[in-house]
Amino acid sequence: MSDSFIEKAKVNWKFVADVFVLNKSAIYPEHTPIQEFDLHHGKNILEYGSGVGSDAWEYARRNNYVTCCDIVAENLAKAKENLSSFGFDATYVLLNESFPLPFDDGVFDLVNSHGVIHHIPQGSEVVKEFHRVLKSGGLCYIMLYTEVLGLYFASQIKPLMEQYPQIGSQEEAFCWLVDGFGTTYARPYNEEEGRKLLTDAGFEVTKTSVYNNDFFRTYRSVKG
């Protein structure tokens, strides 16, 4: 990715620390069973794109050790504040780029990335990194925006781009519509596209679940 894209993303995603809640399941009740938080205890977990630490908090309070990584320093600071307030220790890693990841091969039991990969143009490269840093048999959970969400906003993309000439692509316009004006990039994935993203990286997809009016799809996959 270009330096300008990364720098713009770092600026545009600072708002996460101010508006995202810690208890995500209070907004999306399906989130906890779909993420299968209760199945994981005593594991070494990578939370990619941790934001304010919502999922990291769920893992930490189930006696897992979490490494939070994000490209936004403010979000990591908020995640540390949130987890520390509950007495949870974690590792916090500020990324300069979305990939490669600054971790050795095969060090994590589980990688989680909720609502992040669809914001990265080279998302497939990030997922390959997830595969690399996982142990054999390790699990990967990713949530991607769905084709239903894409269709919901499809008719608004062209008018928005006509109104705001500074929008450089349909993906940027879609991100404005879903995540707020000024945000950088997002694209929806249908189930086949999401599966291919994971299988091309070497994962076996074992389960998919849609929720939030079918706008979100979570993939559970395993490294063989």
Side-chain angles (χ1 to χ4, degrees):
M1 281 178 290
S2 68
D3 291 342
S4 61
F5 179 90
I6 288 291
E7 291 309 311
K8 185 177 180 181
K10 288 178 180 180
V11 171
N12 291 343
W13 291 110
K14 285 182 182 179
F15 78 91
V16 171
D18 295 323
V19 301
F20 275 41
V21 300
L22 184 62
N23 186 3
K24 199 180 294 180
S25 293
I27 300 174
Y28 312 118
E30 311 99 323
H31 185 62
T32 292
I34 286 173
Q35 287 288 141
E36 301 179 328
F37 290 126
D38 290 333
L39 297 183
H40 306 299
H41 304 272
K43 294 180 179 177
N44 187 21
I45 292 176
L46 175 63
E47 182 68 22
Y48 180 88
S50 60
V52 302
S54 300
D55 284 2
W57 173 70
E58 295 283 7
Y59 288 119
R61 69 194 190 97
R62 291 168 171 84
N63 198 37
N64 298 287
Y65 188 81
V66 186
T67 297
C68 298
C69 64
D70 204 292
I71 64 168
V72 181
E74 290 82 354
N75 291 344
L76 277 180
K78 188 65 177 182
K80 185 174 183 179
E81 177 186 329
N82 284 334
L83 269 66
S84 296
S85 70
F86 287 89
F88 298 135
D89 188 24
T91 297
Y92 302 90
V93 177
L94 180 63
L95 301 176
N96 292 320
E97 298 277 357
S98 297
F99 67 93
L101 298 178
F103 307 112
D104 292 335
D105 296 355
V107 293
F108 294 103
D109 300 301
L110 186 153
V111 174
N112 181 57
S113 185
H114 188 269
V116 179
I117 299 300
H118 48 235
H119 291 300
I120 303 173
Q122 295 95 338
S124 60
E125 297 302 316
V126 180
V127 177
K128 289 175 185 176
E129 283 290 277
F130 292 170
H131 189 272
R132 180 184 66 79
V133 303
L134 272 172
K135 299 175 183 177
S136 179
L139 295 175
C140 177
Y141 293 83
I142 65 169
M143 185 279 277
L144 301 173
Y145 289 156
T146 71
E147 69 280 10
V148 176
L149 185 62
L151 288 171
Y152 183 84
F153 285 109
S155 65
Q156 301 178 50
I157 289 177
K158 184 177 178 181
L160 186 69
M161 294 181 73
E162 291 173 348
Q163 183 177 0
Y164 295 93
Q166 68 267 37
I167 298 176
S169 67
Q170 291 188 2
E171 291 81 9
E172 185 176 357
F174 178 64
C175 199
W176 279 39
L177 291 164
V178 179
D179 292 287
F181 281 24
T183 46
T184 314
Y185 175 98
R187 58 153 295 188
Y189 286 79
N190 62 36
E191 183 169 355
E192 182 179 350
E193 290 168 335
R195 283 181 175 274
K196 188 174 189 302
L197 189 72
L198 286 153
T199 56
D200 283 356
F203 285 105
E204 177 189 355
V205 177
T206 57
K207 183 180 179 181
T208 65
S209 305
V210 291
Y211 65 109
N212 188 31
N213 299 311
D214 293 345
F215 289 167
F216 298 170
R217 181 179 287 111
T218 291
Y219 299 77
R220 179 190 191 271
S221 60
V222 61
K223 176 178 178 177

